[in-house]
Amino acid sequence: MSKTYIESPNTLPIYDECDILVVGGGAAGHSAAVAAARANPEASVILMERYGYFGGDVTGAYVLFIPTLNWRTHSLIRGNLEEWFTRLDKNAPDSYIAPPLKYVGRDNPYICKKYEIYEACVNDREEPHTPLRTIYFEPNQLKLEMDAMVQECKNLKCVLHGWGTKPITEDGRITGVIFESKAGRQVIKAKIVIDATGDGDIYSQCASFHGASSGHIDYDHRDGQMALVWRAGGVNYEAFARIRLDEPKVFRRYIEDLWEFAGYKTMFFPSGVDGIVWFNNWLLHKDCINLDDLRETEFLVRNSIRRILAYCKDTLPQCFKDAYLYDIAPQVGVRLSRRLDGVKYMTPLDSACNTAFDDVIAWTSGFGAPVEIPYSCLIPKDLDNLICPGRHLSADPVAIGGLQLIPQCVQTGQAAGVAAAVAVADGATAKTVDIKKVQKILCEEQDVPLPRQANTNKELVEELEAINYGRDFEFNKTIRQKAGLDW
Ligand SMILES: Cc1cc2nc3c(=O)[nH]c(=O)nc-3n(C[C@H](O)[C@H](O)[C@H](O)COP(=O)(O)OP(=O)(O)OC[C@H]3O[C@@H](n4cnc5c(N)ncnc54)[C@H](O)[C@@H]3O)c2cc1C
């Protein structure tokens, strides 16, 4: 048995009390706090973040790519996520690259030609090729917009450099959180807590969960893949992209060699700013709950940066001759760790059957046809007044791969915030909240398209009905057959 130390009981100061406490200010938590404050201006909201800025993986781990916010010609994922780019359009229009909304899904060869060098900005799987609402962006400009969004909400207070460490529970409900900072341990009491730490830091101590530190990590999927992203400047990305498009075999060979020289799987992508690329990486069998894995990730990638740049300069001088190390992401990137064991546990069958949920709170672009995400996969089975949006929501190791991207984290965060706001206004709990009210506010006040609502886009529904909601697509059939469910 490992050695232990018994901590003596403490009396802790109460730092503050509020209606809604959001722990973690990444894509999900930031979205939740803003949505809650806007949906109920009478409610007091606190957003606590362990670092000094918002965005988590997005702005801190430099995940600078957001895939497909449209379905065909329809802008499907909107709300707080499109707001990031509406704001950047106004304040820093050169800080992101994406086909404009008005062109997505249309048969427009000129726009396709313009964007084809940016991976996944054009749907080249079907004829005719069409532009997709896929976005590459500059993270520091986005940090400024995320700051502005929270500061505009008068009923929202931010606690930066505060690390939520322990839930306080009474009679099957969460009632607050203990947090650490330079000022020591303190308490924030709250009616509703939103755990948006991405790693279930709060729920893992009071509710059941899967994944990291539950004793089972599924290394075959995204569970055990960490990263430390870095950026290179002085790169001619277009020259590289032309090789990818014009000489796919050469491109493939180049990437395989790059992996060999790096010692791990890595690849670079545009960053939203001309001349700068980000090096994404996939370090297998790494768990962010394990301190040794965290240290190894930091050292492994930093030790390889000069080697990778030298390889790129030698082999692709037309792209990399002037390249230099631009910067290294301030935080490691964690794809997945813990996953909630929620009231609803999402599986790949939910996409394959395109399950319709009464408590749908997000309609997201999936492989082929939009997929519904229910509120109940944000709710722990065994505890009330805790909502858990973001990459640690309740889903199996396969399903989570399509539910933990930036769009779904912002979407589930926004819904969690509105649900908390409605619960506080009505004196309900996270479990008894009137979900119809939540859906109405999301759709009618917060620009979130949902199915089966008064303002649901009829054309979109007709197109979905015409393809049986994608249920007959080959990959969906295969999933159903494997589960013995085909009909
Ligand atoms: C390398 C990498 C590549 C990826 N590629 C893509 C991609 O190409 N496209 C895409 O859409 N998605 C991609 N993803 C997934 C996506 O970026 C994340 O799943 C998503 O951004 C997670 O958002 P989140 O808010 O749930 O979690 P996080 O971004 O992890 O946010 C959690 C926030 O909570 C804070 N926090 C954590 N613990 C505490 C605590 N105890 N107290 C206080 N604050 C705390 C953190 O500092 C952070 O700000 C990638 C992820 C990684 C790591």
Side-chain angles (χ1 to χ4, degrees), residues 230-237 240 254 268 274-279 305-327:
W230 54 282
R231 295 192 290 178
V235 179
N236 180 345
Y237 182 77
F240 175 77
Y254 177 80
F268 54 91
D274 244 10
I276 297 174
V277 295
W278 61 290
F279 276 78
I305 291 177
R306 290 181 179 143
R307 192 169 69 239
I308 292 175
L309 267 182
Y311 167 79
C312 291
K313 279 175 188 259
D314 284 347
T315 53
L316 276 183
Q318 66 274 45
C319 315
F320 279 96
K321 77 176 159 40
D322 300 322
Y324 57 92
L325 170 60
Y326 181 75
D327 63 0

XYZ file of all heavy atoms in Angstrom, residues 230-237 240 254 268 274-279 305-327:
347
model
N 3.190 23.329 -30.765
C 4.074 24.494 -30.926
C 3.867 25.066 -32.310
O 3.263 24.424 -33.170
C 5.531 24.108 -30.685
C 6.032 22.955 -31.508
C 5.791 21.625 -31.294
C 6.836 23.030 -32.685
N 6.392 20.866 -32.262
C 7.063 21.701 -33.127
C 7.420 24.070 -33.415
C 7.813 21.400 -34.261
C 8.185 23.773 -34.540
C 8.371 22.443 -34.944
N 4.327 26.301 -32.502
C 4.105 26.940 -33.806
C 5.434 27.339 -34.443
O 6.379 27.714 -33.737
C 3.226 28.185 -33.647
C 1.822 27.843 -33.179
C 0.855 29.019 -33.294
N 1.131 30.073 -32.346
C 0.444 31.215 -32.273
N -0.553 31.436 -33.118
N 0.736 32.133 -31.384
N 5.491 27.259 -35.758
C 6.657 27.720 -36.510
C 6.239 28.901 -37.372
O 5.148 28.905 -37.950
C 7.203 26.591 -37.379
N 7.098 29.917 -37.429
C 6.861 31.076 -38.298
C 7.742 30.974 -39.536
O 8.583 30.074 -39.653
N 7.541 31.877 -40.482
C 8.369 31.918 -41.691
C 8.128 30.754 -42.630
O 9.007 30.374 -43.395
N 6.922 30.173 -42.595
C 6.631 28.976 -43.400
C 5.753 29.352 -44.601
O 4.790 30.106 -44.462
C 5.871 27.928 -42.541
C 5.532 26.695 -43.372
C 6.683 27.548 -41.318
N 6.107 28.802 -45.747
C 5.249 28.972 -46.922
C 4.285 27.777 -46.965
O 4.585 26.740 -47.545
C 6.123 29.026 -48.184
C 5.286 29.214 -49.446
O 4.072 29.035 -49.429
N 5.946 29.563 -50.531
N 3.143 27.930 -46.322
C 2.213 26.795 -46.183
C 1.611 26.414 -47.534
O 1.394 25.233 -47.822
C 1.100 27.118 -45.175
C 0.170 25.952 -44.994
C 0.545 24.864 -44.217
C -1.047 25.898 -45.666
C -0.273 23.758 -44.103
C -1.876 24.787 -45.547
C -1.487 23.723 -44.756
O -2.286 22.627 -44.645
N 3.532 23.900 -49.392
C 3.363 22.562 -48.819
C 2.006 21.969 -49.220
O 1.896 20.809 -49.625
C 3.487 22.635 -47.294
C 3.196 21.326 -46.631
C 4.131 20.308 -46.640
C 1.972 21.103 -46.011
C 3.854 19.087 -46.048
C 1.693 19.890 -45.422
C 2.631 18.878 -45.444
N 6.415 11.813 -47.204
C 7.017 12.884 -46.419
C 6.541 12.815 -44.957
O 7.325 12.926 -44.019
C 6.643 14.241 -47.043
C 7.177 15.387 -46.229
C 8.499 15.774 -46.350
C 6.362 16.037 -45.313
C 9.013 16.797 -45.570
C 6.862 17.053 -44.537
C 8.181 17.439 -44.670
O 8.682 18.431 -43.886
N 1.683 19.372 -39.275
C 1.432 20.807 -39.098
C 0.267 21.282 -39.961
O -0.047 20.697 -41.000
C 2.697 21.634 -39.374
C 3.324 21.371 -40.707
C 2.973 22.119 -41.816
C 4.270 20.369 -40.854
C 3.550 21.886 -43.045
C 4.859 20.125 -42.085
C 4.493 20.877 -43.189
N -1.000 34.207 -41.823
C -0.078 33.869 -42.915
C 1.324 33.572 -42.394
O 1.850 34.307 -41.567
C 0.025 35.086 -43.851
C -0.517 34.746 -45.210
O -1.117 33.668 -45.334
O -0.335 35.562 -46.128
N 1.946 32.502 -42.895
C 3.345 32.229 -42.560
C 3.546 31.459 -41.267
O 4.660 31.051 -40.950
N 2.478 31.272 -40.487
C 2.626 30.557 -39.209
C 1.836 29.254 -39.265
O 0.658 29.252 -39.655
C 2.139 31.418 -38.028
C 3.021 32.672 -37.935
C 2.184 30.637 -36.720
C 2.563 33.659 -36.916
N 2.482 28.146 -38.876
C 1.766 26.868 -38.820
C 1.844 26.317 -37.406
O 2.742 26.669 -36.653
C 2.356 25.815 -39.803
C 2.180 26.249 -41.236
C 3.808 25.497 -39.485
N 0.861 25.478 -37.059
C 0.930 24.820 -35.737
C 1.212 23.341 -35.911
O 0.662 22.693 -36.798
C -0.322 25.068 -34.893
C -1.650 24.599 -35.421
C -2.338 25.107 -36.485
C -2.479 23.540 -34.895
N -3.531 24.442 -36.647
C -3.652 23.476 -35.679
C -2.366 22.656 -33.820
C -4.685 22.564 -35.440
C -3.394 21.748 -33.573
C -4.527 21.706 -34.382
N 2.120 22.840 -35.089
C 2.466 21.425 -35.113
C 1.621 20.695 -34.077
O 1.875 20.799 -32.872
C 3.964 21.222 -34.819
C 4.838 21.378 -36.030
C 5.154 22.638 -36.516
C 5.335 20.277 -36.711
C 5.947 22.799 -37.651
C 6.127 20.414 -37.841
C 6.433 21.689 -38.315
N 11.730 19.617 -30.940
C 11.347 20.741 -31.816
C 12.475 21.125 -32.777
O 12.261 21.262 -33.990
C 10.898 21.959 -30.970
C 9.561 21.644 -30.291
C 10.779 23.206 -31.845
C 9.045 22.730 -29.374
N 13.696 21.261 -32.278
C 14.803 21.681 -33.177
C 15.070 20.601 -34.233
O 15.346 20.911 -35.390
C 16.057 21.941 -32.352
C 15.922 23.191 -31.509
C 17.178 23.447 -30.733
N 17.060 24.656 -29.954
C 17.566 24.820 -28.743
N 18.266 23.852 -28.176
N 17.429 25.956 -28.100
N 14.951 19.340 -33.796
C 15.171 18.226 -34.731
C 14.131 18.265 -35.865
O 14.458 18.118 -37.035
C 15.049 16.927 -33.926
C 15.524 15.686 -34.625
C 15.606 14.512 -33.652
N 14.321 14.027 -33.174
C 13.950 13.984 -31.900
N 14.756 14.413 -30.938
N 12.766 13.506 -31.555
N 12.885 18.516 -35.509
C 11.814 18.535 -36.520
C 12.017 19.713 -37.482
O 11.900 19.568 -38.701
C 10.435 18.621 -35.835
C 10.152 17.327 -35.088
C 9.333 18.895 -36.846
C 8.878 17.353 -34.273
N 12.341 20.875 -36.923
C 12.541 22.038 -37.795
C 13.699 21.806 -38.759
O 13.610 22.146 -39.942
C 12.817 23.288 -36.952
C 11.595 24.131 -36.597
C 12.010 25.364 -35.809
C 10.833 24.568 -37.854
N 14.789 21.195 -38.262
C 15.956 20.926 -39.129
C 15.547 19.962 -40.246
O 15.891 20.164 -41.416
C 17.100 20.341 -38.307
N 14.763 18.944 -39.898
C 14.295 17.980 -40.903
C 13.448 18.700 -41.972
O 13.621 18.489 -43.173
C 13.485 16.872 -40.231
C 12.715 16.018 -41.209
C 13.352 15.014 -41.941
C 11.356 16.228 -41.432
C 12.648 14.243 -42.858
C 10.648 15.466 -42.339
C 11.295 14.473 -43.053
O 10.602 13.735 -43.972
N 12.560 19.567 -41.520
C 11.670 20.260 -42.467
C 12.486 21.182 -43.381
O 12.223 21.273 -44.578
C 10.624 21.073 -41.709
S 9.430 20.052 -40.838
N 13.475 21.873 -42.818
C 14.298 22.775 -43.649
C 15.077 21.982 -44.683
O 15.191 22.383 -45.844
C 15.291 23.540 -42.762
C 14.706 24.731 -42.053
C 15.756 25.330 -41.104
C 15.152 26.393 -40.242
N 15.424 27.756 -40.687
N 15.635 20.821 -44.262
C 16.429 20.003 -45.183
C 15.573 19.445 -46.318
O 15.987 19.445 -47.471
C 17.022 18.780 -44.444
C 18.205 19.187 -43.591
O 18.691 20.322 -43.773
O 18.625 18.373 -42.741
N 14.400 18.967 -45.953
C 13.636 18.195 -46.940
C 12.657 19.041 -47.742
O 12.285 18.663 -48.850
C 12.839 17.068 -46.243
O 12.068 17.657 -45.210
C 13.762 16.014 -45.670
N 12.221 20.163 -47.189
C 11.245 20.991 -47.900
C 11.673 22.460 -47.871
O 10.954 23.316 -47.328
C 9.874 20.867 -47.237
C 8.976 19.705 -47.608
C 7.653 19.836 -46.866
C 8.707 19.638 -49.099
N 12.833 22.767 -48.454
C 13.321 24.161 -48.369
C 12.341 25.154 -48.990
O 12.240 26.292 -48.534
C 14.657 24.126 -49.118
C 14.660 22.854 -49.899
C 13.752 21.903 -49.212
N 11.570 24.706 -49.998
C 10.624 25.641 -50.636
C 9.549 26.126 -49.657
O 8.928 27.155 -49.870
C 9.994 25.025 -51.900
C 9.086 23.827 -51.703
C 9.795 22.478 -51.660
O 10.821 22.345 -50.989
N 9.245 21.488 -52.340
N 9.342 25.374 -48.574
C 8.345 25.788 -47.563
C 9.017 26.290 -46.286
O 8.491 27.155 -45.589
C 7.452 24.626 -47.148
S 6.858 23.637 -48.480
N 10.155 25.697 -45.917
C 10.685 25.895 -44.560
C 12.039 26.617 -44.488
O 12.601 26.705 -43.419
C 10.823 24.527 -43.867
C 9.526 24.023 -43.297
C 8.736 23.152 -44.015
C 9.087 24.433 -42.044
C 7.532 22.688 -43.508
C 7.893 23.987 -41.523
C 7.100 23.099 -42.256
N 12.559 27.130 -45.620
C 13.935 27.646 -45.537
C 14.050 28.787 -44.514
O 15.066 28.914 -43.847
C 14.480 28.021 -46.916
C 14.009 29.305 -47.514
C 14.742 29.532 -48.843
C 14.019 30.485 -49.749
N 13.392 31.656 -49.206
N 13.016 29.595 -44.347
C 13.087 30.723 -43.394
C 12.362 30.415 -42.084
O 12.054 31.320 -41.299
C 12.434 31.964 -44.023
C 13.127 32.367 -45.308
O 14.366 32.258 -45.360
O 12.422 32.762 -46.272
N 12.071 29.140 -41.858
C 11.209 28.807 -40.704
C 11.972 28.954 -39.378
O 13.178 28.777 -39.308
C 10.693 27.385 -40.849
N 11.248 29.289 -38.344
C 11.829 29.426 -36.995
C 10.766 29.038 -35.964
O 9.564 29.033 -36.271
C 12.311 30.870 -36.762
C 11.206 31.894 -36.938
C 10.427 32.316 -35.856
C 10.899 32.415 -38.211
C 9.398 33.227 -36.028
C 9.867 33.323 -38.382
C 9.128 33.728 -37.282
O 8.092 34.615 -37.444
N 11.237 28.715 -34.759
C 10.297 28.402 -33.679
C 9.610 29.700 -33.271
O 10.268 30.640 -32.820
C 11.049 27.799 -32.482
C 10.242 27.643 -31.194
C 9.030 26.744 -31.393
C 11.123 27.098 -30.072
N 8.287 29.738 -33.442
C 7.533 30.963 -33.144
C 7.129 30.987 -31.661
O 7.410 31.927 -30.944
C 6.307 31.017 -34.060
C 5.436 32.230 -33.901
C 5.842 33.459 -34.401
C 4.205 32.146 -33.261
C 5.040 34.585 -34.253
C 3.399 33.259 -33.115
C 3.816 34.476 -33.614
O 3.011 35.578 -33.466
N 6.473 29.927 -31.213
C 6.198 29.795 -29.769
C 5.712 28.378 -29.440
O 5.491 27.557 -30.343
C 5.188 30.837 -29.273
C 3.805 30.719 -29.898
O 3.601 29.812 -30.734
O 2.927 31.519 -29.550
